[in-house]
Amino acid sequence: VSQTVKKKTSYSLNNNVSSKLKEQLLPTNLDNQLRVKEFVRLREDDVVDFLQYVTKYLLSKDFVLREDYSLLDILDVQQVNELRKVLAQGFAENETLVKISKNIVEKVKPGASEFLDEEARSMLIARTETVRATNEALIDKFDDQGVEVVEWFASPDACPICEEHDGEQYTIGEASGVLPWHSACRCSFIPIRS
């Protein structure tokens, strides 16, 4: 799949954001506006359907064992199972990252790392794993809808590396496991519909 021209974009991940705020977040470039609208376009039944895809991913072995690393490198089996529950509950109840992070501290108990205290580490895990679960669920859902190509959609505050990837296109098979690109990455994929 050929790369598209790199573009800086803005978007809202929260479908409950007021329409006035959405208008403020939408970029002025018409092409980018179409990308954003495609990204935030979710009906209520899509949200319920999407939660099923997230749950399916959280219960899969891919949640624990990945090509580049394993959650078992940083957590034990009991902690991984608790993390699954915390994330599934967070998605089902539309919890904030702060709430999910607090639940990780209380239920997963990841402890501190060499550079982060337990609260900061829990927030990093919450952000990274919610983005991972969301993207894997999106890829699975897009695949079921017959979408063959997705586009990297960099967050407004993306790092320089992710900004370079913004607009790149991947087949559904290539996209799985790509995002998050790094810890605390907030990028996502949007479908390219023909």
Side-chain angles (χ1 to χ4, degrees), residues 169-188:
Q169 295 184 357
Y170 298 81
T171 65
I172 288 289
E174 295 168 335
S176 185
V178 171
L179 294 177
W181 190 251
H182 52 78
S183 296
C185 180
R186 293 173 31 176
C187 297
S188 188

Side-chain angles (χ1 to χ4, degrees), residues 97-170:
L97 277 177
V98 171
K99 176 69 174 155
I100 293 171
S101 176
K102 285 180 182 177
N103 287 339
I104 290 172
V105 169
E106 293 170 9
K107 297 175 182 175
V108 179
K109 300 176 178 39
S113 69
E114 184 178 348
F115 302 104
L116 300 172
D117 64 23
E118 186 171 44
E119 288 78 23
R121 185 172 185 217
S122 294
M123 179 55 83
L124 185 64
I125 291 169
R127 180 173 305 274
T128 304
E129 297 309 323
T130 55
V131 168
R132 185 180 320 280
T134 299
N135 277 294
E136 291 302 317
L138 284 171
I139 290 166
D140 199 17
K141 182 172 176 61
F142 295 155
D143 188 33
D144 285 353
Q145 292 175 339
V147 173
E148 296 177 5
V149 178
V150 293
E151 183 177 310
W152 185 308
F153 200 59
S155 70
D157 58 349
C159 69
I161 294 169
C162 287
E163 283 181 347
E164 285 297 314
H165 291 287
D166 185 46
E168 287 181 0
Q169 295 184 357
Y170 298 81

Side-chain angles (χ1 to χ4, degrees), residues 7-8 26-35:
K7 305 169 220 124
K8 180 69 179 157
L26 287 174
T28 55
N29 178 295
L30 181 60
D31 183 46
N32 282 352
Q33 284 182 15
L34 294 174
R35 291 175 71 213

Side-chain angles (χ1 to χ4, degrees), residues 22 30 46 58 72 83 159 163 166 174 188 191-193:
K22 280 184 184 177
L30 181 60
D46 287 335
L58 291 174
L72 294 173
L83 181 60
C159 69
E163 283 181 347
D166 185 46
E174 295 168 335
S188 188
I192 302 299
R193 300 190 193 274

